[in-house]
Amino acid sequence: MGCTASDVVAALRLAATVVQEHRDELVRLDQAIGDADHGENLRRGFTALVSRLDAEPPATPGKVLKLVATTLISTVGGAAGPLYGTAFLRASAAVGDAEELDGELMARALQGALDGVVARGKAVVGDKTMVDALTPAVTAAAHAGGGSVSAVLSAAADAAAEGAESTVPMVARKGRASYLGERSAGHLDPGARSTALLLRAFADAAAKA
């Protein structure tokens, strides 16, 4: 069974709850190497998204993802808004007008998200950004692409968690954290952490669907 628009909406509602629960953690992580606004910005964006989903949930997975993109771009400040917004926009384009997502389409959506983030932020693996979580997630999803949506997202979430942890010893080369130079080492990147949290929420939702 594929992943319908209502399944995607359910996953996003769970993601909004997870963002709310981890808001303070993300603020603390961003306090160490950034502007201390990542947690609050994401919370605001996902709160706005839930309101829009309540008002009129879109009819296809691609349209749901496009709504996420436009909402986050318009409500999330800092670098996260454009980056996450572009990620969801490219994911939406990758799945097109499909009524349901299978594992292969989900893997394609994640690849689109990564391509969008890289195009927007110009970061590569090792720069200590969300790309360090998203790149291994996409690789894992591609390997699991012949499986179910749940299997693809579970593999992606596991890989993203490892990728996020790998940012701790890195010296940041992109964004506000890069201004700290060597002092940015020893801290978990907040964008990589939020990427891992979102993918875990999506995987948990898919497992329950």
Side-chain angles (χ1 to χ4, degrees):
M1 186 173 130
C3 178
T4 65
S6 62
D7 293 328
V8 179
V9 169
L12 289 164
R13 291 186 189 281
L14 180 57
T17 299
V18 168
V19 167
Q20 177 71 46
E21 290 171 348
H22 290 269
R23 181 247 180 216
D24 292 350
E25 177 199 350
L26 293 172
V27 166
R28 285 195 303 273
L29 290 174
D30 203 25
Q31 235 163 8
I33 58 173
D35 291 333
D37 59 358
H38 188 59
E40 177 54 27
N41 284 344
L42 272 190
R43 186 205 64 77
R44 184 170 61 247
F46 274 87
T47 298
L49 174 63
V50 168
S51 294
R52 292 183 186 182
L53 291 171
D54 285 343
E56 191 174 350
T60 65
K63 286 178 179 174
V64 176
L65 294 173
K66 189 169 184 181
L67 178 64
V68 181
T70 56
T71 303
L72 296 186
I73 288 170
S74 64
T75 60
V76 177
L83 288 169
Y84 271 124
T86 303
F88 280 102
L89 196 60
R90 292 288 190 93
S92 168
V95 303
D97 296 324
E99 294 292 327
E100 292 189 358
L101 306 183
D102 58 12
E104 188 176 341
L105 260 183
M106 185 61 72
R108 202 181 302 168
L110 290 171
Q111 180 66 61
L114 173 61
D115 292 344
V117 169
V118 170
R120 186 88 195 198
K122 308 293 190 258
V124 297
V125 170
D127 282 346
K128 198 182 180 90
T129 71
M130 63 195 296
V131 170
D132 291 295
L134 196 50
T135 298
V138 167
T139 300
H143 286 313
S148 65
V149 169
S150 178
V152 167
L153 287 173
S154 180
D158 288 345
E162 288 185 22
E165 285 299 325
S166 78
T167 67
V168 172
M170 292 177 183
V171 174
R173 297 195 295 246
K174 287 286 180 184
R176 172 75 63 167
S178 66
Y179 301 162
L180 296 176
E182 296 289 335
R183 286 179 297 145
S184 64
H187 299 283
L188 181 64
D189 179 70
R193 175 62 174 150
S194 64
T195 297
L197 286 170
L198 291 177
L199 284 171
R200 178 57 63 197
F202 297 154
D204 288 347
K208 295 173 189 167

